[in-house]
Amino acid sequence: MIEVVRPGPLATVQDLGRPGRAHLGVPRSGAADQRAFRLANRLVGNPEGAAGVEFTFGGAALRFHRRAWIAVTGAPVTLRVDGRAQGMNAPCFVAAGAVVEFGTPTSGLRSYAAVRGGVAVDEVLGSRSTDLLSGLGPAPLAPGDRLPIGSATNLQHINVDVVPAAALPVTPILRILPGPRDDWFAHDALATLTSTPYEVSPDSNRVGVRLNGPPLVRARDGELASEGMVIGSLQVPPSGLPIIFLADHPTTGGYPVVAVLASSAVADAAQLRPGQKLRFRL
């Protein structure tokens, strides 16, 4: 059992989400940075989709009521087990009764903790993920919450000591493809999008990253009928300022999508923090 001593600004249980249900109006959700999340699970011998904890801006503390192996990946934080420093991107043994503390990330936004056996909260529609938009799954973690740990029987052996992790870029370059509604914008909209840095707005969350920068000018008036949305869509509301859809994005939307992130760029977008600058490249 894991007891939440403090959750930090935001901590949620996540797995790989609820894919394949968008036609029913059910968002995918799941870990925002699936690259870091999958790595954490592999380090402790779990299947990549085992549920773990996603921390936003760190600052959390967990007490383990039974011995466990954990791994922490994603945005780099100081990691202490009963006050003793431990390394990220590596398996870490936690004795029964020990408290694991997570510092504030020096870069990036979201860190992940996997525990061998997975976090075994109840599934909702086939997933243990918290979806902040729809309210599906467990509520965001609060002090005193207790998380059961699943069985470690038949899991792969832990056979990796540490995985070298590249530093998160100061100014990420996110690769994009033209969107399905790029013709709703002025002919130079993609040139504007890719020629000038944008800045992450504080008004961002797991649903989407709001950006400040040069507005994209519309070439057509009116509104679209609602249509399906995918993760990584750059939807443009009337302000002209793009929003990058992340894991908890709605399944449909009525604002035109000028571009879509390449799949490899979604993890980088999930680590963007307020005030950070980024660039787009076709």
Side-chain angles (χ1 to χ4, degrees):
M1 185 72 69
I2 303 170
E3 177 188 352
V4 179
V5 178
R6 62 176 185 272
L10 175 67
T12 58
V13 175
Q14 298 295 339
D15 53 22
L16 296 182
R18 303 177 178 86
R21 292 182 169 87
H23 65 294
L24 301 175
V26 178
R28 191 208 72 177
S29 191
D33 180 351
Q34 293 208 357
R35 182 170 58 203
F37 178 81
R38 291 171 185 267
L39 173 60
N41 271 320
R42 292 199 303 271
L43 285 168
V44 293
N46 285 343
E48 290 187 345
V53 180
E54 177 183 279
F55 301 100
T56 302
F57 271 131
L62 305 176
R63 177 177 286 109
F64 283 72
H65 290 271
R66 51 172 272 198
R67 56 190 289 182
W69 282 93
I70 68 168
V72 179
T73 61
V77 296
T78 56
L79 180 65
R80 295 186 179 276
V81 178
D82 272 351
R84 299 181 62 181
Q86 301 291 335
M88 288 186 60
N89 304 301
C92 172
F93 178 74
V94 179
V99 174
V100 179
E101 296 181 279
F102 304 80
T104 301
T106 55
S107 62
L109 183 64
R110 295 180 171 93
S111 306
Y112 295 88
V115 57
R116 185 168 171 82
V119 173
V121 297
D122 292 338
E123 291 187 353
V124 177
L125 294 179
S127 169
R128 296 180 168 92
S129 287
T130 299
D131 185 333
L132 298 181
L133 181 65
S134 70
L136 291 172
L141 299 182
D145 284 351
R146 291 176 175 249
L147 305 174
I149 300 174
S151 172
T153 305
N154 299 324
L155 295 181
Q156 293 188 16
H157 295 296
I158 297 175
N159 52 20
V160 175
D161 293 328
V162 65
V163 173
L168 294 173
V170 175
T171 304
I173 298 175
L174 304 183
R175 295 191 175 272
I176 57 173
L177 303 169
R181 300 299 177 183
D182 63 327
D183 59 339
W184 277 58
F185 297 88
H187 71 279
D188 60 350
L190 288 177
T192 298
L193 187 66
T194 55
S195 63
T196 308
Y198 281 79
E199 184 175 296
V200 178
S201 165
D203 190 20
S204 300
N205 53 29
R206 280 179 44 87
V207 176
V209 179
R210 294 181 178 271
L211 302 176
N212 294 322
L216 303 181
V217 178
R218 290 269 291 265
R220 295 178 59 176
D221 295 326
E223 298 299 334
L224 286 164
S226 289
E227 55 188 2
M229 291 289 146
V230 298
I231 192 167
S233 295
L234 270 71
Q235 190 185 63
V236 184
S239 67
L241 299 177
I243 302 168
I244 305 173
F245 276 166
L246 293 183
D248 288 354
H249 72 85
T251 57
T252 61
Y255 296 135
V257 172
V258 68
V260 180
L261 294 187
S263 58
S264 60
V266 173
D268 291 329
Q271 293 295 354
L272 292 168
R273 56 200 292 166
Q276 186 173 7
K277 293 187 182 298
L278 67 144
R279 302 188 72 106
F280 294 104
R281 179 176 296 168
L282 281 171

